[in-house]
């Protein structure tokens, strides 16, 4: 986001403030009340209120073209876990998630994908965890949850899930090796 701002000539932090800092707008996108396209268009519109329309569109387009990167160590762990049990992704994402997973060749690396924008509820709301467990047909105390956001991990733990706060692949590997996924 910082590179997109810089290249478009926007003030540093402006894209982050609108895209991620406007919690109402972000929540509408990750709970499916608006599509990914509508969300990004609203980001452009809000940025254009204090910057040029061209600069706002350029920044959002550049940021939108980035799909992220696959952490090879975590992917190896996922593949190993899939040999023993189903692996699911439970994520707060927009309607673009399936496209992003396919672009990163991750769409076949997990058994289930639970997208908040499809379910209409986002983490840390307990309802999303309960819904995922219901779809899986698994009691939550039989599920392991890994996330990089403390409140999400705490909510999962309160619901009975074995939970781990992701900080780095080696810590996740140790957690799984110590029986975190039994």
């Amino acid at each position: 986001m910082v590179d997109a701002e810089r290249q478009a000539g926007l003030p540093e932090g402006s894209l982050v403030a609108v895209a991620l800092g406007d919690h109402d707008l972000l929540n509408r996108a990750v709970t499916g009340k608006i599509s990914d396209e509508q969300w990004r268009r609203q980001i452009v519109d809000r940025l254009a209120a204090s910057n040029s329309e061209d600069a706002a569109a350029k920044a959002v387009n550049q940021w939108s073209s980035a799909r992220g990167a696959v952490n090879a160590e975590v992917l190896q762990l996922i593949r190993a876990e899939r040999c023993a049990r189903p692996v699911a992704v439970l994520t707060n994402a927009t309607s673009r998630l399936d496209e992003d997973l396919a672009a990163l060749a991750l769409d076949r690396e997990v058994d289930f994908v639970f997208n908040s924008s499809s379910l209409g509820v986002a983490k840390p709301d307990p309802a999303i965890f309960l819904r995922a467990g219901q779809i899986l047909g698994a009691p939550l105390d039989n599920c392991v949850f890994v996330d990089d956001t403390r409140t999400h991990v705490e909510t999962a733990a309160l619901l009975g899930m074995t939970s781990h706060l992701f900080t780095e692949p080696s810590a996740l590997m140790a957690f799984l090796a110590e029986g975190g996924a039994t």
Side-chain angles (χ1 to χ4, degrees), residues 4 27 37 53 77 89 95 101 116-117 123-124 140 147 151:
N27 188 57
E37 295 81 11
E53 173 86 18
L77 292 172
V89 170
S95 57
L101 291 174
S116 63
S117 68
K123 298 177 289 184
L140 294 184
D147 200 289
T151 56

Side-chain angles (χ1 to χ4, degrees), residues 14-29:
S14 58
L15 180 55
V16 173
V18 175
L20 305 177
D22 183 334
H23 297 290
D24 179 59
L25 178 61
L26 180 60
N27 188 57
R28 287 188 293 134

Side-chain angles (χ1 to χ4, degrees), residues 100-124:
D100 288 341
L101 291 174
L104 293 167
L106 293 174
D107 50 338
R108 296 187 181 160
E109 295 290 353
V110 296
D111 301 296
F112 301 93
V113 176
F114 298 104
N115 181 346
S116 63
S117 68
S118 297
L119 296 174
V121 62
K123 298 177 289 184

Side-chain angles (χ1 to χ4, degrees), residues 75-159:
L75 183 56
Q76 281 183 312
L77 292 172
I78 289 169
R79 288 174 175 164
E81 286 300 311
R82 282 186 79 199
C83 291
R85 72 200 91 255
V87 174
V89 170
L90 173 61
T91 185
N92 289 350
T94 69
S95 57
R96 189 176 106 161
L97 178 64
D98 290 340
E99 184 182 320
D100 288 341
L101 291 174
L104 293 167
L106 293 174
D107 50 338
R108 296 187 181 160
E109 295 290 353
V110 296
D111 301 296
F112 301 93
V113 176
F114 298 104
N115 181 346
S116 63
S117 68
S118 297
L119 296 174
V121 62
K123 298 177 289 184
D125 188 321
I128 194 168
F129 297 95
L130 296 169
R131 182 74 177 121
Q134 178 185 36
I135 293 168
L136 290 171
L140 294 184
D141 61 358
N142 286 349
C143 298
V144 174
F145 180 74
V146 176
D147 200 289
D148 62 353
T149 303
R150 184 171 305 281
T151 56
H152 300 171
V153 171
E154 290 170 351
T155 300
L158 287 171
L159 293 169

